[in-house]
Amino acid sequence: MPSPRPPRLPADLADGLRSDLAAGYTLAAVQEALGPVAAAALQREEPVAARRATEGASDPAAVLARLFLLGEPITRTALDTALPRTTTAGATAVGLVTPAGEDGADEVRAAVDLRPYEAADAAGEARWWVASDLGELATRRSLHADHVLGIGGASLTLARITVRDHRARVLDLGTGCGIQALHATRHADHVLGTDISRRALDFAAFNAALAGTPVELREGSLLEPVAGERFDLVVSNPPFVITPPAAHAAGLPVMEYRDGAMPGDSLVADLVSGLGEHLAPGGVAQLLGNWEHHAGEDWRERVSGWLEAAGTDGWVVQREVQDPAEYAHTWLRDGGLRPGTELFDAALAAWLDDFAARGVEAVGFGYLLLRRPADGSRPAWRRVEELTAPLQGPLGGHLAQVLATQEWLAATDDAALAEQRLRAAEDVTEERHLRPGEPDPRVLLLRQGGGFGRTVQPGSLVAGAVGACDGELTVGQIVGGLAVVLDQPADAVAAEVLPAVRDLLLDGFLVPEPAST
């Protein structure tokens, strides 16, 4: 069965459709219509409770959720009531639904997944409606090779970690349904979305039109559509999934939204290497990716080589690691295949054979950030690390602060740092562990409530310095005071404290005290 054509939004229907959706199909209204049990089950891809909750319901949120989220048929009369300005006729003209006939009792089925979307990022709250292809839950079938994915966990992650300060030109590379491009329109002068999939671009065009937000769209693979151009921000959720050719030979389709048809993790490696020349001075690129863990090789060395090839600043954070069997299972289920079927088992075997032949012991997932320094004369700053603590809230503001702090620290020598007045950030707490009756702690920890939720265990000198950072004394005065109290040379105290202070500033544990006016 061929994929349905993507929706198109004629200008004369746009206002009415927006008004209908805003009146009755919001995230809050859907959650109220489903109830907490069914809503939670639907988040787990379990539709039975939601079907029961919406069966026979007449309010617009329940009717539209049943149609677009669950893939259940409704009557033409019910849709006319839920979308009074658009009606079934208008929704059919747009390409949202397929009616069985003209009678009010005739069935209407969804042609697309259309859902309310609300999110909070570093630029504030966002609210839209986003269309994509119907998923396995609604169709009860495996996905088409040209499936256009809606808003998934990876999309939400990228939106939360993206820096949101003002940018002149933003590129959303591999835009898919266009959600990253929509986020970018709120803090950019011009947004360009590219994708190898014509169907994806059509969905992105519809979603931008429904949001009433202009986005330029171009068709092409990876960086080809923007040859010779530079941007102030590049965001990308690229087709990073590592799928062996043998799995496709076994009958697994090449899924456009996730399979780059390149060996191993070379797609992400090549993309990272090529992004540097597309960043304007001060420009940032942020993307998600997978990388292989090879036997006898530290994954950090592998990914660091990608950053060196880019010729920019680089920061990679590994958030998750999966073994080969878990990784293959994850992506086979993502495509709608079920364990025990002939194709699932054959593709899984091909995956495991490929990983074993190439010495792949695991696959990492995480975030990659590149920046072209505004000052091209300084050495590149690079950091590759693993951080798995749960994240609290949007991360884009924290990443922007780290980048700004790194630039400031690069231009600040130790003498200048010693003149600074610092204080502990508001989200930092101190944790002491000691035996009952003991006057001094055996372990002292600093915990970060925001950002990456880091925990550091400073030595006694550094802990004393942090405790004295109240915005009143300079770092130099604190170092001098510690040297007197501990009867140690000031140079020796500074040699231990100043590098640690730099690290704590970079990670957001310490912040400069604003200059008094």
Side-chain angles (χ1 to χ4, degrees), residues 31-63:
Q31 290 175 339
E32 182 177 353
L34 294 179
V37 173
L42 195 58
Q43 286 290 320
R44 301 190 301 269
E45 298 288 310
E46 298 170 2
V48 175
R51 291 184 188 130
R52 291 167 62 91
T54 57
E55 187 174 8
S58 59
D59 64 283
V63 169

Side-chain angles (χ1 to χ4, degrees), residues 282-304:
V284 172
Q286 293 182 261
L287 60 152
L288 306 179
N290 277 161
W291 40 84
E292 296 177 340
H293 291 213
H294 288 196
E297 177 189 45
D298 189 331
W299 70 271
R300 295 171 182 81
E301 295 179 5
R302 180 180 187 80
V303 176
S304 293

Side-chain angles (χ1 to χ4, degrees), residues 38 115 148 182 335 395 446 456 489:
R115 63 184 58 209
V148 176
L182 288 180
L395 199 60
L446 298 177
V456 298

